[in-house]
Amino acid sequence: MNVRQANLKMIKSFPGGKDALAVAMGMTIHAFDNRLYNRKGQDFTADEELQIQSFSGTTFFADAVASLSGGVFVELPDVSDIGNDELLEKWNALYAKVGEFSGKFSRAISDDVVDQRERQDLSAAGEGVNKLVQELLALTFRIYCKQHEKED
């Protein structure tokens, strides 16, 4: 996903859509559209993108930036009530995601060609596995690392 696609998804997620979001951002609809569609060399600043993301209650901008940077955005869970049972649930979810990925992988290469749709499916499934691994690591470190090691 690119930043424009992220913006459109964030707008769709905001109650009232583009007009309401423009007002929330303190912009006229014309100024908002100019930034959204890069008219006259205008664009949203990173701070504006983050504000739109916050207003929309999504992580689409972070997802786009991570993807464009060759990575994956991983939203870290709150660990205030996390223990071994929750870690076990993450492990089970990870096993299921790996199984899903394995099935998609096998189907994609069965004809010795990975087409565009299969590539997108594999990428999405791989990102799902990566996210769960990172969540599992983050939870493990937050729960079991000594306080001074958590800050490193």
Side-chain angles (χ1 to χ4, degrees):
M1 164 178 11
N2 63 37
V3 174
R4 166 128 349 116
Q5 292 167 329
N7 285 335
L8 294 173
K9 289 175 101 173
M10 289 187 295
I11 290 167
K12 194 173 195 176
S13 298
F14 189 77
K18 184 171 57 169
D19 292 343
L21 186 54
V23 171
M25 293 293 295
M27 297 179 191
T28 65
I29 191 65
H30 184 69
F32 190 89
D33 277 346
N34 283 344
R35 287 170 177 80
L36 179 61
Y37 298 110
N38 305 108
R39 294 182 188 141
K40 302 177 186 175
Q42 296 182 45
D43 206 351
F44 292 115
T45 66
D47 287 339
E48 289 169 335
E49 294 283 6
L50 290 170
Q51 188 63 60
I52 292 169
Q53 178 175 263
S54 176
F55 284 161
S56 69
T58 68
T59 60
F60 296 133
F61 178 64
D63 291 330
V65 170
S67 179
L68 292 169
S69 302
V72 180
F73 172 71
V74 177
E75 188 171 4
L76 299 178
D78 180 24
V79 295
S80 57
D81 299 335
I82 300 292
N84 286 332
D85 290 342
E86 289 77 15
L87 286 176
L88 179 59
E89 287 178 26
K90 281 288 179 204
W91 273 108
N92 289 336
L94 177 59
Y95 292 139
K97 281 283 187 198
V98 169
E100 178 185 318
F101 178 74
S102 176
K104 288 182 179 198
F105 181 85
S106 295
R107 286 188 296 278
I109 65 167
S110 66
D111 61 356
D112 294 327
V113 175
V114 176
D115 63 28
Q116 185 62 30
R117 185 191 52 79
E118 291 168 330
R119 182 179 178 145
Q120 289 173 342
D121 285 348
L122 284 174
S123 293
E127 285 182 16
V129 170
N130 287 335
K131 283 184 176 189
L132 276 172
V133 167
Q134 293 305 313
E135 288 175 10
L136 181 62
L137 287 171
L139 287 172
T140 301
F141 297 155
R142 286 183 176 184
I143 294 168
Y144 293 106
C145 288
K146 294 178 184 174
Q147 185 62 32
H148 70 278
E149 291 176 340
K150 289 182 187 178
E151 297 169 2
D152 291 343

